[in-house]
Amino acid sequence: MSNEKKRIVLWGTGVVGSMVLAQVLRHPRFELVGVGVSNPAKVGVDAGDLCGAGKTGVAATNSVEELIALRPDAVVHYGPTAQFADENIRVIGEFLRAGIDVCSTAMTPWVWPSMQQLPDVWRDPIAEACAAGGASCFTTGIDPGFANDLFPMTLMGLCGEVTSVRASELLDYTDYEGDYEFEMGIGHPPEFSALLEHPDLLIMAWGATVPMIAHAAGIELDRITTTWDKWVTPTDRRSAKGTVAAGTVAAIRFTINGVYRDREVITLEHVNRIGLDAAPDWPAGTRDDVYRVDILGSPSISQETSFRFTDGSGRTPAVAGCLATGMRALNAVPAVNDLPPGWVTALDLPLIPGVGTIR
């Protein structure tokens, strides 16, 4: 791998993007050449001011054309969620058609773009843009993403036989400021039907790594099923987004299950709580706020991963996980640049060891 710096455009300066921006500015293997934003108030603002660093001389713009003209090696894209699919496809597609590789965290169904549930209107424009520009598109995340694709598949490679594999997100959302009210129904009465409660939507939004793992293991699933459970709090609970009132949902638990030969062999599980004491009978890690992999097989394997800031900043584990999510996309840039045009998934990438991180 060349020691030459990769010239980077960063698109999106929300929670994830602003943290990665600060890392890019002091990283020896990346050079920031442009910043893209969708918020008009950020246009013209220096990149350093957007992430709490010193002046850089790089001003943010909302013009894709201006950023393409910089001819970066790649765009790291931290745009909005798949709720804003049309805008993500427009922006990412323009970069790809211009021959610029994109590593993104926005459209999590794209972690496995051949998933049957993915709408053609979300798949075909990007495939066509990659072909037109000779560029590659890689999407990652934490869950969906490396916590439930890279981690379990790596551990499965240590086994002679796998009876089942379960990847779980076990998080306290008390201090989390991301979207969960309408998506998960937290803070709503139990009769409220959350967006992700609908099986087809849940599988499309969160389940892409189930068929990915099946493909990697060389099997074809019979079907994919889901479960969804709610826990109603008897008391008011404080959260970073306000009060979760007594009588409303304060924890949710869902699973997405890959069924093979009439048994569940691949399971993705979420347990998300407002307060560690919520839903006390549901799974929890040996530590608070972890991503867990459990493999039943020969041998059986359990692994827990926690993300923490130890810099005294007081930033929460959920925020640390957001930084890890963003850095996976950034650190993948050199490998994605070396791949042929088209979709890129975790199965296409070599080991990404984080070149330049020890300094």
Side-chain angles (χ1 to χ4, degrees):
M1 185 178 291
S2 170
N3 289 327
E4 183 180 353
K5 279 190 174 185
K6 293 292 184 179
R7 303 176 72 253
I8 297 296
V9 160
L10 185 145
W11 182 279
T13 58
V15 173
V16 176
S18 61
M19 286 193 294
V20 175
L21 181 57
Q23 298 293 324
V24 172
L25 290 175
R26 57 177 179 265
H27 201 292
R29 301 302 294 269
F30 300 107
E31 177 188 356
L32 182 75
V33 298
V35 174
V37 293
S38 55
N39 183 349
K42 294 182 178 181
V43 172
V45 177
D46 189 275
D49 292 332
L50 291 171
C51 65
K55 296 290 186 183
T56 66
V58 177
T61 178
N62 59 1
S63 169
V64 176
E65 292 77 13
E66 289 179 15
L67 297 171
I68 287 173
L70 298 171
R71 305 310 306 169
D73 292 301
V75 172
V76 284
H77 177 273
Y78 305 111
T81 67
Q83 183 181 352
F84 301 91
D86 290 347
E87 179 64 8
N88 286 328
I89 290 169
R90 180 190 72 81
V91 171
I92 291 172
E94 288 190 38
F95 285 117
L96 294 171
R97 280 190 293 274
I100 300 169
D101 294 340
V102 176
C103 296
S104 178
T105 62
M107 297 285 290
T108 50
W110 288 354
V111 300
W112 189 243
S114 59
M115 179 175 61
Q116 182 180 1
Q117 290 80 5
L118 187 68
D120 291 343
V121 294
W122 285 14
R123 180 192 297 111
D124 294 349
I126 296 302
E128 292 163 2
C130 288
S136 298
C137 183
F138 171 56
T139 296
T140 183
I142 187 168
D143 183 340
F146 61 82
N148 63 17
D149 60 38
L150 178 67
F151 288 1
M153 289 191 294
T154 300
L155 295 175
M156 289 167 66
L158 308 179
C159 298
E161 180 177 353
V162 172
T163 303
S164 66
V165 56
R166 175 180 293 258
S168 303
E169 177 182 285
L170 308 170
L171 296 185
D172 177 8
Y173 273 10
T174 298
D175 296 316
Y176 181 56
E177 296 183 357
D179 297 327
Y180 55 70
E181 297 95 328
F182 292 99
E183 292 79 2
M184 295 181 173
I186 293 175
H188 286 273
E191 59 270 20
F192 175 80
S193 182
L195 191 65
L196 293 174
E197 197 172 339
H198 302 279
D200 289 345
L201 242 140
L202 180 60
I203 292 169
M204 187 188 72
W206 245 269
T209 57
V210 171
M212 178 197 289
I213 293 172
H215 177 85
I219 64 171
E220 186 172 335
L221 296 172
D222 303 328
R223 60 191 179 277
I224 298 176
T225 65
T226 68
T227 67
W228 189 280
D229 295 299
K230 309 172 185 181
W231 184 85
V232 175
T233 178
T235 59
D236 289 353
R237 290 174 177 265
R238 178 197 64 82
S239 80
K241 304 184 78 173
T243 299
V244 176
T248 65
V249 174
I252 60 99
R253 179 188 185 185
F254 69 74
T255 64
I256 304 171
N257 313 289
V259 179
Y260 176 65
R261 294 178 177 174
D262 292 324
R263 60 188 179 90
E264 294 176 0
V265 295
I266 303 166
T267 297
L268 307 185
E269 177 182 43
H270 265 231
V271 179
N272 300 123
R273 303 171 159 94
I274 302 296
L276 293 170
D277 61 333
D281 296 331
W282 289 358
T286 58
R287 299 182 64 191
D288 300 336
D289 298 300
V290 299
Y291 292 83
R292 182 178 175 90
V293 177
D294 291 292
I295 294 174
L296 180 63
S298 178
S300 295
I301 303 173
S302 293
Q303 172 189 281
E304 284 190 358
T305 305
S306 61
F307 298 90
R308 302 288 191 270
F309 285 106
T310 55
D311 57 3
S313 64
R315 290 176 289 178
T316 66
V319 177
C322 288
L323 176 58
T325 299
M327 291 306 301
R328 170 73 171 165
L330 177 66
N331 286 327
V333 163
V336 172
N337 281 166
D338 289 341
L339 290 172
W343 288 109
V344 175
T345 75
L347 297 183
D348 300 307
L349 293 175
L351 176 67
I352 307 295
V355 175
T357 54
I358 298 178
R359 55 186 188 267

